[in-house]
Amino acid sequence: MRSDLLTAGVGRTPHRALLKSLGITDSEMKKPFIAVVSAQSEYVPGHTHLHEISRAVKDGIRNCGGVPFEFFTIGVCDGLAMNHPGMRFSLPSRELIADSVEVMLTAHPLDAVVFVPNCDKIIPGMLMAAARLNLPSVFVSGGPMNAGTVMGKRVGYSEIYEAIGKHSNGELTDNALKDFEDNACPTCGSCSGMYTANSMNCLTEAIGLALPFNGTQPAISSARRRLAKESGELVMSVLEKNIRPCDIITKKNMENALAVDMSIGASTNTILHLLAIAREAKVALTLDDICRISKKTPQLSKLNPASDVFIEDLHTAGGIQSVMKEISNLIAQDALTVDGTQADRTKNAKAADGVVIRKADNPIRSDGGIAVLKGNLSPEGCVVKQGAVAPEMFHFIGTARVFNGEQAAVDAILGDKIKPGDVVVIRYEGPKGGPGMPEMLAPTAAIAGKGLDGKVALVTDGRFSGASRGAAIGHVSPEAAQGGLIALVQDGDKIEIDIPNRSLSLLVPQEVTDKRRADIPQKPLSGYLKRYTSFVSSAAKGAACD
């Protein structure tokens, strides 16, 4: 066993002495040592209860003869980091999480791992670490938050931002806005819609590294605790069978995950993360693969923020396994998971209910919830959550309104300076230019709150929150800071968005743009972000660090 590096032989007497100072007994020295990697935190709503989940995991490990050792990673709450400089650290934290897990599990060699994540960058960061270390692993998340209820209607986190826009319009009173503040986030857990955290937890299940219902079982349920205990028990079997993450994170399962991604209308951030995870697992995956799978996969579910259906409703309808059963012709059934094959999982799943999970012959749309666009404005590719775009915006020619940063755009939207027919262009917010590619929930929610959804588009080299909706096109590559054409767009230019034909174009002759010059803003950087900017790749490559 790998833990023999700590426990076996005369030369390891000092190591055993230190382990005994932790209370480890002689009999435990002979058992497998299992890491429990938790993102527990007292001020991240998705993580505040993870001590309960980890405790159940450790009970499961002990039930099956293992010795658990828990340690913790950092974790940024994107909601708390939104709209201030902290958001620039969110995506970069993914790399720190992967690196810190590598450090801990190389310095302290254990035999297997249970990962306990629950929010946006923690899940992919841990998946990247799992692929890099390739130790027998199982994932179990903390589960989703329940939907809130405001003024008699169920709501999610994104509606709070839209309420701010309505409040600025005079459509909501101060008391009504306070109602959102008090009741939109009623429990612990990852925010209640198909935002990035829930998207990634669902995709971890689809990849096969987590048990069924990992992505959808509510955070506050006793079933979530049982799932955690079962995951702790399962890792002992995975260790015995020597099943490694890279046996599971294969091209087949990555394409299985992408098919599910398209079927459930997941967050566009999943594209960044799946590319980065594939890179760690040495699986060839590109935006072209994603485009190919999107074109052939029907969207069967449309969850908040694109509708008033929530993740708890998807769970009641059968969860991810029911989605995979309905698109079984697109799923590699023989692909390995932590508890058998994909076929073993779906054979007993509920049939699609036709409402929350549509039948494949009656989809919401015939292609996937995410589309990859290319064109002169984004030759390397960009992404849009087309499942959350109003039909009238699928082909749209608008007038550019250009902003060198998110806040200036938000001020213009809330200040009634954006009109129907405009395309809001936000640049210098990419991986290098941001730096850190901050999420932009505020401008998309402000557009919706101002009643401009279906009338105004947004194009950026940054990215969007999973809670964003509307004609919001992100990850434009190459980004402005790397000399992309988006740096040369000017107010008044015409931009054509053609989602059916997967195109994003600046309707300005090249001889005109060739004469333009871009003055790249110089942002004062220090510490981690300065290092990150030096190493991060483009969004088209997952914003991974080389």
Side-chain angles (χ1 to χ4, degrees):
M1 291 190 297
R2 192 166 175 266
S3 58
D4 287 347
L5 293 171
L6 298 177
T7 60
V10 172
R12 295 298 184 259
T13 300
H15 302 68
R16 290 192 297 273
L18 288 171
L19 289 169
K20 285 187 174 179
S21 77
L22 297 174
I24 301 300
T25 67
D26 286 331
S27 64
E28 286 177 318
M29 296 282 187
K30 300 172 185 176
K31 297 176 180 180
F33 283 7
I34 312 298
V36 178
V37 184
S38 170
Q40 161 69 27
S41 168
E42 290 189 349
Y43 69 100
V44 177
H47 298 173
T48 188
H49 64 304
L50 292 189
H51 62 287
E52 298 177 41
I53 305 301
S54 294
R55 186 183 305 125
V57 167
K58 290 186 285 187
D59 287 345
I61 291 167
R62 290 190 183 95
N63 285 348
C64 293
V67 182
F69 291 83
E70 184 178 11
F71 70 90
F72 303 92
T73 70
I74 62 166
V76 172
C77 173
D78 281 16
L80 293 175
M82 198 75 67
N83 306 128
H84 60 78
M87 177 46 72
R88 302 194 186 284
F89 286 84
S90 175
L91 183 59
S93 75
R94 185 187 71 181
E95 314 306 312
L96 285 176
I97 291 162
D99 290 350
S100 66
V101 174
E102 178 189 13
V103 166
M104 288 294 289
L105 290 182
T106 305
H108 314 106
L110 305 189
D111 301 304
V113 192
V114 179
F115 290 93
V116 186
N118 208 36
C119 284
D120 294 21
K121 310 310 167 297
I122 297 86
I123 305 158
M126 288 185 179
L127 284 165
M128 290 163 66
R132 189 183 300 175
L133 291 161
N134 207 28
L135 295 171
S137 299
V138 176
F139 278 69
V140 58
S141 75
M145 180 185 292
N146 284 9
T149 302
V150 176
M151 295 182 286
K153 180 183 177 183
R154 290 198 305 167
V155 300
Y157 179 69
S158 62
E159 280 89 344
I160 307 172
Y161 278 86
E162 293 179 15
I164 293 171
K166 292 178 180 177
H167 180 265
S168 73
N169 264 359
E171 299 174 42
L172 278 182
T173 65
D174 291 348
N175 286 339
L177 190 61
K178 184 66 160 53
D179 196 3
F180 277 93
E181 179 181 324
D182 291 344
N183 297 303
C185 299
T187 73
C188 61
S190 48
C191 295
S192 57
M194 189 51 76
Y195 311 149
T196 306
N198 290 329
S199 295
M200 286 307 303
N201 278 329
C202 288
L203 296 189
T204 304
E205 180 182 331
I207 288 170
L209 278 169
L211 283 168
F213 303 114
N214 175 70
T216 58
Q217 184 72 59
I220 60 174
S221 65
S222 57
R224 171 62 59 180
R225 277 73 182 158
R226 294 196 300 274
L227 184 69
K229 190 177 293 185
E230 290 163 0
S231 298
E233 294 171 345
L234 177 63
V235 76
M236 301 303 294
S237 172
V238 169
L239 173 62
E240 183 180 359
K241 294 174 183 177
N242 196 30
I243 299 171
R244 306 290 178 127
C246 289
D247 299 328
I248 293 173
I249 309 175
T250 60
K251 187 66 175 281
K252 284 183 178 181
N253 267 332
M254 292 303 284
E255 293 196 349
N256 286 343
L258 281 167
V260 171
D261 195 334
M262 301 306 163
S263 292
I264 62 177
S267 164
T268 53
N269 283 322
T270 60
I271 303 304
L272 284 175
H273 300 324
L274 290 174
L275 289 170
I277 294 160
R279 179 178 179 274
E280 291 285 357
K282 297 179 173 57
V283 172
L285 189 71
T286 67
L287 283 177
D288 290 337
D289 293 312
I290 293 165
C291 187
R292 169 176 54 82
I293 291 168
S294 174
K295 287 179 177 178
K296 70 179 182 179
T297 306
Q299 184 178 353
L300 304 183
S301 290
K302 190 172 186 177
L303 278 69
N304 180 270
S307 78
D308 57 1
V309 178
F310 289 85
I311 197 81
E312 62 206 72
D313 304 316
L314 178 61
H315 180 71
T316 301
I320 295 305
Q321 300 307 309
S322 291
V323 172
M324 296 180 79
K325 186 172 189 173
E326 189 59 26
I327 57 168
S328 59
N329 62 311
L330 299 173
I331 298 297
Q333 300 289 335
D334 61 339
L336 184 66
T337 77
V338 287
D339 65 335
T341 64
Q342 295 285 9
D344 295 332
R345 290 180 159 207
T346 56
K347 65 183 178 183
N348 295 321
K350 286 183 181 179
D353 66 348
V355 180
V356 175
I357 305 171
R358 293 275 196 97
K359 299 288 186 179
D361 59 4
N362 181 35
I364 292 165
R365 48 181 304 111
S366 60
D367 55 356
I370 296 175
V372 175
L373 313 183
K374 291 189 176 183
N376 70 343
L377 196 51
S378 187
E380 293 177 5
C382 57
V383 297
V384 59
K385 189 172 181 177
Q386 63 175 345
V389 176
E392 59 268 29
M393 297 298 289
F394 270 73
H395 187 205
F396 179 75
I397 297 176
T399 303
R401 294 295 311 282
V402 183
F403 303 91
N404 289 348
E406 176 189 9
Q407 191 57 52
V410 173
D411 292 343
I413 296 164
L414 294 178
D416 297 319
K417 295 178 182 178
I418 301 301
K419 306 299 181 186
D422 285 344
V423 177
V424 177
V425 177
I426 304 176
R427 62 194 180 192
Y428 299 108
E429 295 287 19
K432 287 184 180 292
M437 209 178 182
E439 285 188 346
M440 297 186 195
L441 176 56
T444 56
I447 286 170
K450 283 289 187 179
L452 295 171
D453 186 31
K455 301 171 185 176
V456 167
L458 195 157
V459 174
T460 182
D461 53 8
R463 63 193 179 94
F464 297 109
S465 166
S468 293
R469 65 183 176 95
I473 298 168
H475 308 191
V476 168
S477 300
E479 61 176 292
Q482 290 188 303
L485 185 60
I486 190 172
L488 301 178
V489 180
Q490 294 184 358
D491 281 347
D493 288 349
K494 295 296 184 182
I495 293 175
E496 181 177 18
I497 298 164
D498 188 349
I499 295 174
N501 290 308
R502 305 297 197 262
S503 175
L504 176 68
S505 301
L506 177 66
L507 303 181
V508 175
Q510 185 174 343
E511 57 266 27
V512 174
T513 57
D514 283 348
K515 295 176 182 177
R516 296 177 178 176
R517 294 178 61 110
D519 294 322
I520 299 176
Q522 298 301 309
K523 300 178 179 178
L525 298 176
S526 62
Y528 178 52
L529 284 185
K530 187 174 183 178
R531 297 196 303 275
Y532 177 82
T533 302
S534 300
F535 296 107
V536 68
S537 71
S538 79
K541 296 181 180 179
C545 283
D546 295 321

